[in-house]
Every structure is written in C-alpha cells, then in structure tokens.
Amino acid sequence: MPVPSLTADMLGGLGLTGLHVCSCHCQVVDVSTSKTGKHGHAKCNFVGVDIFTGKKYEDMTPSSHNMDVPNISRVEYTLVDVNEEGFVTLMMENGDTREDLTLPKGTDEAEKLAEQIKTQFA
C-alpha cells in the first residue's frame, strides 16, 4: 500500500501563486517569469510570505525545475484550558481533545504571545 507523500513536485513555471513552498514555509503571493537566458531556461521569481512569522521572502528557480509543494491542511481548535506548565487543552470540531501542545516559547515574541493567551483565557 503506497504511503501518501507530505509534498508534491510541481514545475516552478506553472505559477504557484497561493500555494505553499517548502524551502521557507511560505505562501507564494507573486510569481514573475524572466526571459530565456543564455543557458536556455527561463527563471521564475517567487515572492512569498512565511506562514508562521509573516516575513517576506524572495526566491528564484529555473521554470523547468521541480519545487516541493507541501500538502497542508488547516484545522481550527477551541481553547479549553491552559495549565500551570503551559500545556493547552484544545477541542476539535468533532469534540475530541488534544493535550499534547504547549504555549509558544523560545523567543521574546513567543513569550509575549503566551502571556497574552494566558491573560485573555483567565
């Protein structure tokens, strides 16, 4: 039985606007193609926004080369509880819960967000 891939290969020249690319966890917001160069390949210029930080990135690849495009699904949870150790209890739409995730940590921005979540939840 085949195992589903976490990514799909797509040609860079197909116009990946709106899709995500693996190189930097970005959603592509703009694609432009340059003329064929002396080596025979047109180049695609990608502008993307990091889906986690919102930071803007640019990348260039030959239009004939494949790029990894991740299979992404979005799931929304309802926050049910935050414990003293920073673990959160989340409820899915079907009523199942998850208790294996923690509040953001590791940077000043993440710590500030964690405090904001705790304050708003209390």
Side-chain angles (χ1 to χ4, degrees):
M1 184 164 140
V3 176
S5 175
L6 297 177
T7 64
D9 286 337
M10 294 188 75
L11 281 176
L14 292 178
L16 303 174
T17 303
L19 296 178
H20 299 82
V21 290
C22 284
S23 60
C24 59
H25 304 95
C26 285
Q27 181 174 6
V28 177
V29 293
D30 186 42
V31 179
S32 61
T33 306
S34 63
K35 295 181 182 179
T36 303
K38 64 181 179 180
H39 298 292
H41 293 287
K43 302 279 191 213
C44 291
N45 301 303
F46 295 96
V47 177
V49 177
D50 188 299
I51 60 175
F52 299 112
T53 65
K55 186 175 177 183
K56 188 175 182 180
Y57 288 93
E58 294 186 27
D59 192 15
M60 183 183 293
T61 186
S63 63
S64 59
H65 289 198
N66 284 339
M67 296 186 69
D68 284 336
V69 178
N71 296 317
I72 295 177
S73 62
R74 180 182 173 128
V75 179
E76 292 192 22
Y77 297 94
T78 301
L79 181 61
V80 176
D81 188 31
V82 178
N83 71 16
E84 302 82 31
E85 298 168 355
F87 280 89
V88 294
T89 303
L90 303 172
M91 184 171 57
M92 294 182 260
E93 287 183 6
N94 66 3
D96 292 344
T97 58
R98 287 187 69 166
E99 298 178 348
D100 60 333
L101 301 173
T102 62
L103 290 171
K105 57 186 169 188
T107 65
D108 290 341
E109 187 176 306
E111 300 290 341
K112 183 178 177 182
L113 178 60
E115 279 304 315
Q116 183 181 4
I117 292 170
K118 285 181 187 177
T119 302
Q120 290 180 354
F121 183 73

